Amino acid sequence: MAKKALITGITGQDGSYLAELLLEKGYEVHGIMRRASTFNTGRINHLYSDPHINGVKLFLHYGDIADSTNLIKLLYRVQPDEVYHLAAQSHVRVSFDIPEYTGDVTGLGTVRILEAIRETGCKSKFYQASSSEMYGKVMEVPQTENTPFYPRSPYGAAKVYAYWITVNFRESYDMFACNGILFNHESPRRGETFVTRKITRAAAYIKAGLQDKLYLGNLDAKRDWGYAKEYVEAMWMMLQAKEADDFVIATGETHSVREFLDEVFDHLKLDWKKYVEIDQRYYRPAEVDLLIGSPEKAKQKLGWAPKTTFRDLARLMVDSDVADLEKKLGKSIR
């Protein structure tokens, strides 16, 4: 009998890649999506007709991580073997504008679904999407599973709560509950308001002559950037382990926004300095200057390691945006 998985945030970047992976492994996949006036299923529509996935078993349910009653009903109905909690207000800069909402959804949303699992008596294994933003003003370099947290945003603070409540339920109720502390992970499916995708999309439009300026904030911020498609494999691996544990998922390298600009614009034979302007609105009230994670524990205990280099990631993202734009325009822009 096929395993069942429930994914919150299934319509997002990570949710779509994870759904793809689980379907390929023969899972029956259930996803929670919020009701909206427009469909936001673009990242997963292809899964219903993918010839590589036989007898696709993908089911979407309307719900919200802020609605505990709905979560309990859904868990009673689905009885999932694994729950992957990816849903959140996940934009760090935006969390300063809507801190209460971020705390409610990103922080308390986690305890709602953990309590729903406990209340329904489901024997679900649980994955919590923790974040490198919890380290914030970093206490050591590189960051490991033992590095103290020092969040520098409402988002980071909410994720720290979610992390510790996951540990608390694991220790209090003997739940199989894991934290994946994922460092920045990008892909062609990344939201267009996140800096990497903002850069690759703008570069494509500039190359086509459809845009002449790109406004950014802190170009010196350094991040540990990996490929989202590989990072969801680590999520699955955590729930297949013999014991529940917490893992840093990262590349062990750090690169600045400036370096990302170099890779993307050089790939299109453009000079980004002619097009990029700094806008103070994109600076955070409290900046996170440097993030770099150590994936050693994940390598040793899970056998997981990153494969895609920083340069290849930047290029595959901009190539995808160029291809999408060429499809819209009906002509080559290179």
Side-chain angles (χ1 to χ4, degrees):
M1 192 172 177
K3 277 187 177 181
K4 291 182 185 178
L6 176 65
I7 303 172
T8 72
I10 194 170
T11 58
Q13 169 188 253
D14 293 6
S16 68
Y17 280 121
L18 179 61
E20 213 167 64
L21 176 72
L22 295 178
L23 288 169
E24 287 171 354
K25 291 184 178 295
Y27 278 66
E28 179 179 305
V29 177
H30 295 258
I32 299 176
M33 60 180 288
R34 284 179 297 170
R35 175 73 179 90
S37 57
T38 56
F39 284 112
N40 65 337
T41 56
R43 293 184 180 97
I44 56 174
N45 285 340
H46 69 286
L47 295 177
Y48 290 101
S49 57
D50 192 330
H52 302 294
I53 304 172
N54 296 319
V56 172
K57 297 177 180 177
L58 175 62
F59 304 93
L60 298 180
H61 308 267
Y62 283 120
D64 197 302
I65 206 67
D67 182 355
S68 56
T69 302
N70 172 263
L71 293 173
I72 290 170
K73 288 179 179 178
L74 191 56
L75 281 162
Y76 268 127
R77 195 157 71 244
V78 175
Q79 294 287 313
D81 299 288
E82 298 169 5
V83 174
Y84 296 87
H85 179 41
L86 312 182
Q89 190 304 98
S90 60
H91 199 288
V92 179
R93 178 62 191 84
V94 171
S95 75
F96 285 98
D97 300 326
I98 48 172
E100 182 183 342
Y101 176 79
T102 300
D104 183 34
V105 173
T106 305
L108 292 179
T110 302
V111 78
R112 288 189 190 104
I113 196 158
L114 282 165
E115 187 65 4
I117 292 170
R118 191 178 76 86
E119 180 67 25
T120 56
C122 286
K123 300 302 180 186
S124 311
K125 293 182 175 182
F126 178 78
Y127 171 84
Q128 163 61 20
S130 290
S131 168
S132 58
E133 288 288 333
M134 299 188 302
Y135 296 117
K137 188 176 180 180
V138 299
M139 297 289 99
E140 65 179 358
V141 178
Q143 292 89 58
T144 72
E145 292 80 5
N146 298 317
T147 302
F149 301 135
Y150 194 140
R152 297 268 283 173
S153 66
Y155 170 78
K159 282 291 189 181
V160 169
Y161 173 84
Y163 172 94
W164 282 117
I165 202 67
T166 299
V167 172
N168 185 258
F169 269 66
R170 180 170 72 215
E171 295 178 351
S172 300
Y173 305 116
D174 197 29
M175 287 176 63
F176 194 107
C178 300
N179 281 291
I181 308 172
L182 271 59
F183 280 63
N184 293 63
H185 45 291
E186 318 298 315
S187 76
R189 299 181 193 174
R190 188 59 142 154
E192 293 173 5
T193 60
F194 290 85
V195 68
T196 51
R197 183 73 196 292
K198 185 177 177 180
I199 289 169
T200 60
R201 187 175 181 274
Y205 274 71
I206 289 168
K207 184 69 175 180
L210 300 175
Q211 186 173 329
D212 56 9
K213 291 293 179 186
L214 169 59
Y215 297 93
L216 296 172
N218 183 9
L219 303 188
D220 297 317
K222 291 185 175 181
R223 296 291 183 269
D224 185 325
W225 275 307
Y227 186 21
K229 189 173 183 178
E230 295 170 1
Y231 282 37
V232 301
E233 293 176 18
M235 298 177 186
W236 176 78
M237 287 176 167
M238 286 179 214
L239 297 198
Q240 313 316 306
K242 289 184 179 179
E243 294 181 353
D245 206 345
D246 308 317
F247 294 91
V248 164
I249 304 300
T251 69
E253 293 183 12
T254 191
H255 298 275
S256 68
V257 175
R258 196 181 301 273
E259 289 176 80
F260 194 83
L261 281 166
D262 285 336
E263 293 293 348
V264 169
F265 278 76
D266 284 352
H267 189 49
L268 296 185
K269 296 180 173 60
L270 294 169
D271 180 2
W272 64 263
K273 297 178 185 69
K274 294 179 181 178
Y275 307 100
V276 172
E277 290 193 9
I278 303 303
D279 189 331
Q280 294 298 322
R281 290 178 300 173
Y282 294 117
Y283 277 79
R284 302 178 186 178
E287 185 57 80
V288 172
D289 297 315
L290 169 67
L291 292 174
I292 177 170
S294 170
E296 287 308 309
K297 182 178 175 182
K299 286 180 182 178
Q300 292 172 11
K301 293 200 170 185
L302 301 177
W304 180 89
K307 303 179 188 73
T308 304
T309 66
F310 174 72
R311 171 175 285 185
D312 287 344
L313 176 62
R315 290 183 175 189
L316 74 86
M317 287 180 68
V318 74
D319 284 343
S320 175
D321 278 324
V322 166
D324 286 346
L325 187 54
E326 288 178 335
K327 190 175 179 181
K328 287 179 186 175
L329 297 176
K331 64 177 183 179
S332 174
I333 63 174
R334 295 222 187 191

